Structures are given as C-alpha cells and as structure tokens.
Amino acid sequence: MPAPKPQRVLVAEAAIAARVAELARAIARDYAGENPVLVGVLQGAVPFVADLMRALPIDVTVDFIRASSYGAGTSSSGRVRLVADLAVEVADRHVLIVDDIVDTGLTLAALKRTLEARRPRSVRTCVLLDKAGRRETDVTIDYVGFTIPNVFVVGYGLDYGGLYRNLPYVAALDVT
Ligand code: PRP
C-alpha cells in the first residue's frame, strides 16, 4: 500500500527559517561567552541542528545522541534506551539538548536525567515543535519554536515510516 501523502503545510519553510533565527538570537544571548555543547537527538533533529548551529554566532560544540523508547505499548513507562551515546564529555560544560519535537516528553526527560548525571554545568532543552497537549511528564522546554496541535506531522526531520524527513517544511499527515 502506498504511504499517505502529507496533506497540508503546517509550518512553512520561511516560517521555520525566521523562527530558527529568533531562537539562535536568544540562545546566543543566553550563552554569550560560553561554549555550550549542542546535543542533537537523532534522527529527527538533524535539519534543525544543522540550521540552528549555522545561525549561532557563538562558539559551540555539536554532537549527537540517539534514544529509543521501548515501543508504543510501554512508552508511558518512561523507559528510554540510549542507542548511541555522545563522543564528547559534558562534565563541566553547558549542554543544550536539541530535538525536533516534544510529545509525551518522556524522551527529553530521560535524556536530561542521563546527561545531568554526568555533572554538566547546566542542561537546557530546545525543540522546534511542542505538542504541548500530549505531555505525560513534566519537562521544562527552555526554547520552543512552535506549539502545535495534536496532529501527526512529518517533514523537516520528522518521518512517517522512514519517509518525508527531507521535506523542507512541516506538514500534517492524515494516517487514519
Ligand atoms: C521522536 C522525536 C523525539 C521523540 C518525542 O523521535 O524526535 O525524540 O520522538 O517523543 P516523546 O516526547 O513522546 O518522547 P523518534 O523516536 O520518532 O525517533 P526519530 O527522531 O529517529 O524519528
């Protein structure tokens, strides 16, 4: 069966670019004189990290981490497995976790706990899309691109069955 096609653009390419520039200005202001570690969460965060890092006029270190929940049926348990770890040490560093979307919050909460255990100077979070209505755990998102409704979204890193990560915009997909 062919994959469903994205129906409508939710966040256009130009809107993403404008918001990324604003987020970068806020991050650059907050981390002025520091050299934070941007921790991109694979795979979805790749386009966002790529754009955000190039918009930042401060020194940053960029690395990636990969997490996997134990599947839809058990995700509410909050168990998140680290599939690939960072190469850099974050002890005594400022850490900014960068992800494409926060949904239940379980992934970010678990990653935050994991990285906080490594004695960094700070851990903050930055997401492009916040499905605020879906939160199952309390996790502070320090920088939010857009708050979106509870619709299935693809593009700009987000996939449906491995497809559509390469779209330069965020689109809604009717998967029912
Ligand atoms: C997505 C997204 C976040 C997480 C958010 O990743 O990139 O990391 O889910 O969901 P949560 O707030 O409910 O934990 P996904 O597991 O789909 O992996 P991917 O980025 O490789 O597509």
Side-chain angles (χ1 to χ4, degrees):
M1 208 167 67
K5 297 282 179 211
Q7 280 87 31
R8 66 192 159 88
V9 175
L10 204 65
V11 191
E13 194 174 352
I16 295 173
R19 190 72 186 116
V20 167
E22 286 175 358
L23 290 173
R25 275 196 291 277
I27 291 166
R29 194 172 55 233
D30 294 350
Y31 290 95
E34 310 288 349
N35 173 1
V37 184
L38 300 190
V39 173
V41 185
L42 293 171
Q43 307 186 50
V46 166
F48 185 35
V49 171
D51 286 345
L52 186 66
M53 65 191 271
R54 286 177 295 171
L56 284 171
I58 57 168
D59 288 336
V60 291
T61 303
V62 180
D63 202 350
F64 292 89
I65 201 164
R66 187 166 188 166
S68 168
S69 70
Y70 280 94
T74 56
S75 65
S76 60
S77 69
R79 295 180 67 198
V80 173
R81 191 163 57 102
L82 215 57
V83 179
D85 206 342
L86 299 173
V88 299
E89 301 283 342
V90 298
D92 214 27
R93 303 284 303 271
H94 289 292
V95 172
L96 181 60
I97 304 174
V98 181
D99 209 347
D100 52 353
I101 191 166
V102 54
D103 188 340
T104 65
L106 295 171
T107 303
L108 270 184
L111 287 176
K112 218 177 155 185
R113 277 196 304 274
T114 297
L115 296 178
E116 272 165 351
R118 299 178 187 181
R119 314 243 175 254
R121 285 173 72 189
S122 67
V123 180
R124 286 187 190 154
T125 53
C126 172
V127 300
L128 183 73
L129 305 173
D130 181 3
K131 268 193 192 176
R134 293 257 310 161
R135 206 72 89 250
E136 289 180 18
T137 189
D138 209 15
V139 59
T140 302
I141 312 298
D142 300 285
Y143 306 94
V144 176
F146 301 92
T147 300
I148 61 165
N150 183 24
V151 293
F152 195 92
V153 283
V154 295
Y156 200 69
L158 292 144
D159 77 308
Y160 173 75
L163 286 175
Y164 307 132
R165 289 193 201 275
N166 57 314
L167 297 176
Y169 50 83
V170 175
L173 187 75
D174 184 2
V175 291
T176 54

